[in-house]
Amino acid sequence: MRLRFRRTMVRTATLVTAITLPLAFTVPASAAPATTGPVVSDVLANVFATQIKGKNVQKHLDKFQEIATANGGNRAAGTPGYDASLAYVQDKLRKAGYKTSTTDVEFPLGWQEFSPPVLEQTAPEAKTYATPADFVTVISSAGGDVTAQVQVVDAVIPPAPTPNTSTAGCEASDFEGFVAGRIALIQRGTCPFIDKATNAKAAGAAGVIFFNEGQPGRTDPLVFDIIEWRFDMPIVMASTAVGLDLADSPNTTVHLKVDARTEVGRTKNLIADSRWGKSGEIVAVGAHLDSVPEGPGINDNGSGSAAVLETALKLAHVPTKHRLRFAWWGAEELGLLGSEQYVAGLSQAERDKIRLYLNFDMVASPNDGTFLYDGDDSDAEGAPAGPTGSAEIEQRLAAFYAKRNLPVEGTDFTGRSDYGAFIANGIPAGGIFTGAEGIKTPEQAAKFGGTAGVAYDPCYHSACDGITNINAAALERNSKAVGYATAFYAYDLTGIPDRNAAALAKSSASSARFMTAPEGAAR
């Protein structure tokens, strides 16, 4: 026990000396590390990156595989495999001196409708609508029984000849003048139904009746899953004819009833705050810890989780200028629920303390490419640029790889990983991704190596995403990059705007439009 303690202290002292020694030649010792500039911070971060060893990251992956093997072959949220993974990471962090905590995460286990829904007009005339000919329950709707006046929300009546013309309910401004407690009548159109329902809930709607837009092929009730189960109001989808009928009078009152419930499961996020740095200047670093039920999730996302863990352990005893907050998210595979619920649960003041977020989701794909989140939209494809500061993160990581003559490419902020909630709240983000089910092109094979015409990770979301589904070279170099970026921003936030200023500039406005609806959400 004592020998192990002494060795640990020697390693820690060596690392602290290696990182802080360059400061002795530039600033008084009493000032370190508070007065570092970008050049010195870059030197420190590169020194720190050398301390991150792929073999140590691999040991964490071996443990994740051992946990999955002992728990039905996976580490999915809400299972013993996930709980054991969290306990392993938390134990490592506590022993290293971190203050750890967990936050609750809810996720849907299943939705059930117990009896047919009811939709009937009570004024200005009595009329009952039939299911499924006239309307259907929207899957994931909450239960509810409400009688209230209908209020039409920005509908195009008569319907336009071209589909996807109506923007009804897509913007919060569509609900200006909406009377809380009424039932929102919203036409199908350009944006996802979940956006419309979110805006309706924020406006105080007691229920939502969607109706089809009205063009050929878009007139019948549409059966779809709105995905979000926490709206706490009944939601149905009606035909165009019913929608127009309800919109015909300004005083239409209806009785709407849905008898349904979502069974809710619970899991946890793990959060670890460093002992060093300003508590009001937080550098957040995260990775999702859960796998899909189909497999152990060693690349997705044991790789990112292990790289972040090893970085945290190596930085545990290193004084930093800014506070580090490491996060291992739960229920990412169920819809980014851990990170979304965490950010939503913070006060605005607490969100403003988070200067940036670094996301690491899949960093060792077998047929890998090195993709950096396109913070400045220099690729001019898909989603817009991230909040101000995101471009600087991308450039910082690109410089790390360029110094080692390693190629990189940009990858879009598609909303498929845990940066989404941070971007939507104006927090700059960046990170590394080595590819999932996408197919490597011949040009990428020439650039990165590997095999063209094959998925970056052929075992993505499969049982074969086990301990052999790792590119060891990618794990080594990208784990070092994780360590580099974390250490750099732990000392230097040059180019990252003050969060209050960023909030005033509303730098998240354009990005938020891409983060609202889950991939594949119905429109």
Side-chain angles (χ1 to χ4, degrees):
M1 179 67 74
R2 290 180 179 175
L3 178 61
R4 180 180 300 173
F5 176 76
R6 288 172 181 166
R7 287 176 177 170
T8 299
M9 293 304 293
V10 168
R11 287 196 297 268
T12 300
T14 300
L15 179 56
V16 172
T17 301
I19 290 180
T20 58
L21 184 59
L23 294 172
F25 300 100
T26 58
V27 296
S30 60
T35 57
T36 62
V39 174
V40 174
S41 298
D42 179 64
V43 171
L44 300 184
N46 274 292
V47 170
F48 176 74
T50 66
Q51 305 298 315
I52 305 296
K53 308 293 185 183
K55 64 181 181 180
N56 293 331
V57 181
Q58 182 70 46
K59 290 177 182 178
H60 303 312
L61 294 181
D62 291 340
K63 185 62 179 182
F64 290 149
Q65 178 65 68
E66 178 185 322
I67 288 170
T69 300
N71 289 280
N74 69 74
R75 302 182 301 104
T79 70
Y82 179 82
D83 294 343
S85 298
L86 187 147
Y88 168 75
V89 175
Q90 188 170 35
D91 181 65
K92 289 284 186 182
L93 294 166
R94 283 176 172 170
K95 288 179 178 177
Y98 281 94
K99 178 182 178 182
T100 67
S101 61
T102 59
T103 63
D104 292 334
V105 183
E106 293 186 343
F107 60 92
L109 290 173
W111 178 83
Q112 185 175 1
E113 188 171 24
F114 301 100
S115 62
V118 174
L119 178 60
E120 51 191 10
Q121 186 179 154
T122 61
E125 60 180 310
K127 186 181 296 184
T128 299
Y129 302 102
T131 186
D134 295 327
F135 77 104
V136 293
T137 306
V138 171
I139 298 169
S140 296
S141 168
D145 189 340
V146 58
T147 299
Q149 190 171 329
V150 166
Q151 185 164 341
V152 182
V153 178
D154 196 32
V156 178
I157 299 175
T162 305
N164 280 318
T165 297
S166 174
T167 61
C170 293
E171 305 291 341
S173 58
D174 293 343
F175 291 84
E176 289 181 4
F178 188 87
V179 179
R182 289 183 178 177
I183 296 172
L185 181 62
I186 310 177
Q187 189 175 28
R188 182 185 183 185
T190 58
C191 68
F193 287 112
I194 191 172
D195 291 6
K196 299 170 183 281
T198 299
N199 290 329
K201 179 181 178 181
V208 170
I209 302 171
F210 294 119
F211 67 98
N212 218 334
E213 193 174 13
Q215 298 81 22
R218 293 169 71 88
T219 59
D220 294 336
L222 175 69
V223 177
F224 68 94
D225 189 342
I226 202 165
I227 301 172
E228 174 58 66
W229 74 101
R230 295 164 296 178
F231 281 126
D232 196 28
M233 59 185 177
I235 305 175
V236 298
M237 174 74 180
S239 67
T240 304
V242 169
L244 296 178
D245 190 27
L246 296 176
D248 190 50
S249 169
N251 300 311
T252 300
T253 299
V254 301
H255 173 216
L256 173 62
K257 179 182 178 182
V258 170
D259 183 16
R261 184 178 69 246
T262 296
E263 185 180 357
V264 176
R266 289 174 175 80
T267 188
K268 293 183 181 298
N269 295 319
L270 175 62
I271 310 296
D273 278 359
S274 67
R275 296 180 295 169
W276 316 101
K278 300 176 182 178
S279 60
E281 303 285 334
I282 294 173
V283 174
V285 184
H288 78 85
L289 186 57
D290 61 317
S291 75
V292 294
E294 290 78 9
I298 299 304
N299 184 41
D300 182 17
N301 182 38
S303 61
S305 291
V308 172
L309 174 59
E310 187 62 20
T311 295
L313 296 178
K314 285 292 188 288
L315 277 170
H317 302 289
V318 179
T320 58
K321 180 178 179 181
H322 307 116
R323 182 70 52 89
L324 290 170
R325 177 169 296 167
F326 296 98
W328 288 264
W329 308 116
E332 187 270 358
E333 298 290 7
L334 298 174
L336 314 179
L337 298 179
S339 55
E340 287 189 351
Q341 292 177 30
Y342 175 79
V343 175
L346 296 175
S347 67
Q348 187 59 53
E350 287 299 316
R351 290 187 199 125
D352 286 345
K353 292 178 182 179
I354 301 175
R355 295 291 299 276
L356 60 87
Y357 173 67
L358 301 175
N359 189 73
F360 301 105
D361 187 353
M362 303 177 67
V363 299
S365 302
N367 194 31
D368 72 305
T370 305
F371 303 109
L372 308 180
Y373 294 121
D374 187 13
D376 58 1
D377 195 26
S378 56
D379 293 350
E381 293 181 358
T388 304
S390 302
E392 284 74 12
I393 298 172
E394 180 188 8
Q395 293 160 11
R396 176 61 52 188
L397 281 165
F400 171 87
Y401 288 101
K403 187 173 183 178
R404 292 154 179 80
N405 296 314
L406 297 170
V408 298
E409 282 188 13
T411 186
D412 237 8
F413 281 125
T414 61
R416 289 183 60 175
S417 195
D418 292 298
Y419 53 74
F422 292 89
I423 287 177
N425 283 277
I427 299 171
I432 304 164
F433 173 57
T434 53
E437 79 277 27
I439 303 301
K440 179 173 279 188
T441 67
E443 294 78 12
Q444 290 171 336
K447 179 187 293 187
F448 298 117
T451 306
V454 175
Y456 306 110
D457 184 355
C459 288
Y460 176 67
H461 282 190
S462 301
C464 59
D465 185 12
I467 199 65
T468 60
N469 192 48
I470 290 292
N471 182 323
L475 185 70
E476 174 85 25
R477 64 175 174 267
N478 294 326
S479 294
K480 289 182 182 298
V482 173
Y484 167 83
T486 304
F488 179 88
Y489 289 114
Y491 289 109
D492 199 300
L493 289 169
T494 300
I496 307 299
D498 179 79
R499 283 286 297 124
N500 291 324
L504 290 172
K506 298 186 182 298
S507 64
S508 66
S510 60
S511 299
R513 292 199 297 272
F514 288 82
M515 299 299 132
T516 305
E519 187 181 11
R523 290 171 169 81

